[in-house]
Amino acid sequence: MDNPRTHSTTYQEIGVPAYRSDTLSAVTPSLAAALGVPGHDDQLGVGPARAAAFLLVDGLGAELLARHFEKAPTLTELARRGSVLRAGFPATTASSLASLGTGLPSGEHGIVGYSFALDGTEDVPPVMNALGWCAHASPKEFTDLRKDFPPESIQPQGTVFESAAADGVEVVRLVPDFHIGSGMSRAVLRGPGHFRATAGPEELVPGMLEALGGPGRTFVYGYHRDLDTIGHMHGPGSEPWLEELGRVDALVADLASGMPPGAVLAVVADHGMIDTGDHRVDLEHDPDLLRGVRVLGGESRVRHVHTEPGAASDVLAAWREVLGERAWVVERDRAVAEGWYGPHVPDRIRGRLGDVIAAARRTWTLLRPQKEPLESSMIGHHGSWTEEEQLVPLLFLRPE
């Protein structure tokens, strides 16, 4: 049965976050403050710690966890003592990981979606896939954009890892090997310290516990991706997804049993997920949705629509007319004024947002089957304003 809270009439009923202590951007500054790193506030009330870590379980939405509590007893017990955060907008890995890395909402760090248009003088601006740091939806072979668009320039804000290391904290990041040196990692995980490759989830527990057990102040990050991957391909709540949820629960139980004295671990997610079924809008085969459009960015649940000069109002009207109740369709200035991307969006970031922004409602997807065949074939999606996508658990582990 559908969750009625995901079917609110307006996104205002769901609520745009305040981006203070209610979103993922509060997590790492609070952990850094717990370690005594200056310049950070303990917005979440973590309290002092000798070592601090966060485990990011990609795709573990709070609504999904509550619905399938019997498959995850450890996580469910922690959730009773924990809390819930909003992912922030959009509810997608690239933006959320950047918010965790920098402690800032997407309007300030500038990773405003899975893909977004880059600044330039071209009539048709290049659209970058942020996770791959490559040209998005390109008919050519993989195009690495790290040289032409250095990650440190696209996202110049300092990271929490950098400030922790500058204060003498040992920083350790445990990630899949292809994350090491990637454009996304350089943009949002950069800083002194160690990157350690993990071949699979089974290496996360010993790696994180070893790092947390060091003699001095330590800040540790671990990443678990499999739940998200399975949710995209088989659907959240599917049998393969439930099996993986059980493995995540066992992993967290192992972490809980081995936590060293003086350490604290936050278990968080970057977004939730919905099963979109056959609620599909094919953007490539409706001429009314293509007229006046230069390029499209974003992803299936949130689209950045960059328009031809002078065409923004006509495109806005057309998208509203065609999509109707299937999406919230607003002009860029309205999204900025209402705080979708946080309280501040500098001019250098505004151009990455579409002149028109369409956020899918209920379980609709805004697909591009020819340009984005893999993404369009997925069952599970995320990014927009529903609580299933937005709400993520914040679970704390401390040794007894």
Side-chain angles (χ1 to χ4, degrees):
M1 179 179 294
D2 288 336
N3 184 338
R5 287 184 293 172
T6 68
H7 294 174
S8 299
T9 303
T10 67
Y11 61 86
Q12 290 94 335
E13 291 180 19
I14 297 169
V16 175
Y19 291 100
R20 289 191 286 271
S21 60
D22 58 346
T23 60
L24 286 173
S25 56
V27 173
T28 51
S30 296
L31 293 175
L35 294 172
V37 178
H40 296 290
D41 295 325
D42 186 1
Q43 304 169 52
L44 300 176
V46 177
R50 178 198 56 78
F54 68 104
L55 171 66
L56 175 59
V57 181
D58 201 328
L60 178 62
E63 298 272 295
L64 286 167
L65 177 59
R67 189 178 306 164
H68 302 291
F69 65 91
E70 73 283 356
K71 298 291 185 179
T74 298
L75 291 169
T76 298
E77 179 58 32
L78 290 171
R80 292 194 182 101
R81 308 193 302 266
S83 59
V84 173
L85 295 175
R86 300 288 295 278
F89 193 78
T92 195
T93 298
S95 301
S96 294
L97 184 54
S99 291
L100 286 164
T102 64
L104 299 169
S106 62
E108 293 183 56
H109 59 61
I111 309 297
V112 296
Y114 173 65
S115 71
F116 54 87
L118 295 164
D119 299 330
T121 59
E122 301 90 341
D123 290 337
V124 180
V127 177
M128 183 177 73
N129 181 306
L131 291 180
W133 217 264
C134 59
H136 183 68
S138 173
K140 302 177 182 178
E141 295 297 322
F142 174 83
T143 305
D144 190 338
L145 296 179
R146 286 177 294 181
K147 181 178 179 181
D148 292 337
F149 297 96
E152 298 81 5
S153 298
I154 298 299
Q155 197 302 99
Q157 303 282 357
T159 71
V160 180
F161 302 104
E162 289 178 305
S163 59
D167 194 50
V169 175
E170 181 77 6
V171 176
V172 179
R173 311 161 190 83
L174 294 101
V175 296
D177 57 359
F178 62 89
H179 284 199
I180 300 176
S182 72
M184 188 66 190
S185 292
R186 283 172 52 186
V188 306
L189 302 180
R190 65 176 176 264
H194 304 286
F195 279 88
R196 296 180 184 171
T198 55
E202 65 279 0
E203 296 185 2
L204 273 175
V205 172
M208 294 188 74
L209 292 179
E210 178 186 3
L212 286 169
R217 291 185 302 156
T218 310
F219 188 37
V220 183
Y221 162 59
Y223 174 75
H224 184 287
R225 64 171 176 155
D226 292 355
L227 193 69
D228 178 73
T229 301
I230 292 171
H232 280 304
M233 303 314 298
H234 297 279
S238 64
E239 193 58 39
W241 189 92
L242 292 174
E243 291 175 1
E244 185 59 34
L245 177 62
R247 287 189 283 269
V248 171
D249 193 71
L251 183 152
V252 173
D254 288 344
L255 280 171
S257 66
M259 288 283 290
V264 60
L265 168 69
V267 180
V268 298
D270 49 349
H271 55 74
M273 189 177 288
I274 58 174
D275 186 329
T276 58
D278 59 356
H279 288 177
R280 301 159 63 91
V281 177
D282 187 339
L283 301 178
E284 294 172 329
H285 288 89
D286 191 323
D288 290 332
L289 294 177
L290 298 177
R291 193 173 296 115
V293 175
R294 284 193 299 165
V295 295
L296 288 172
E299 55 204 291
S300 64
R301 292 283 293 166
V302 181
R303 287 295 177 185
H304 293 293
V305 188
H306 296 268
T307 65
E308 300 287 357
S313 60
D314 290 339
V315 171
L316 176 70
W319 278 60
R320 282 179 171 170
E321 175 66 24
V322 173
L323 295 179
E325 292 295 302
R326 294 178 290 185
W328 295 291
V329 181
V330 303
E331 60 272 37
R332 175 172 55 206
D333 287 348
R334 177 175 168 182
V336 171
E338 292 182 349
W340 286 26
Y341 296 89
H344 307 292
V345 182
D347 288 344
R348 71 176 191 85
I349 303 300
R350 291 174 75 100
R352 300 179 190 179
L353 308 177
D355 300 291
V356 173
I357 299 167
R361 298 175 63 176
R362 297 186 285 275
T363 56
W364 287 98
T365 49
L366 311 176
L367 302 178
R368 304 172 70 195
Q370 293 183 357
K371 292 285 189 180
E372 300 170 352
L374 175 61
E375 295 89 337
S376 298
S377 70
M378 292 176 175
I379 297 173
H381 293 268
H382 53 81
S384 194
W385 283 118
T386 71
E387 291 192 347
E388 287 180 313
E389 296 162 281
Q390 280 285 327
L391 298 184
V392 296
L394 175 67
L395 316 177
F396 283 109
L397 285 172
R398 288 182 183 270
E400 296 295 337

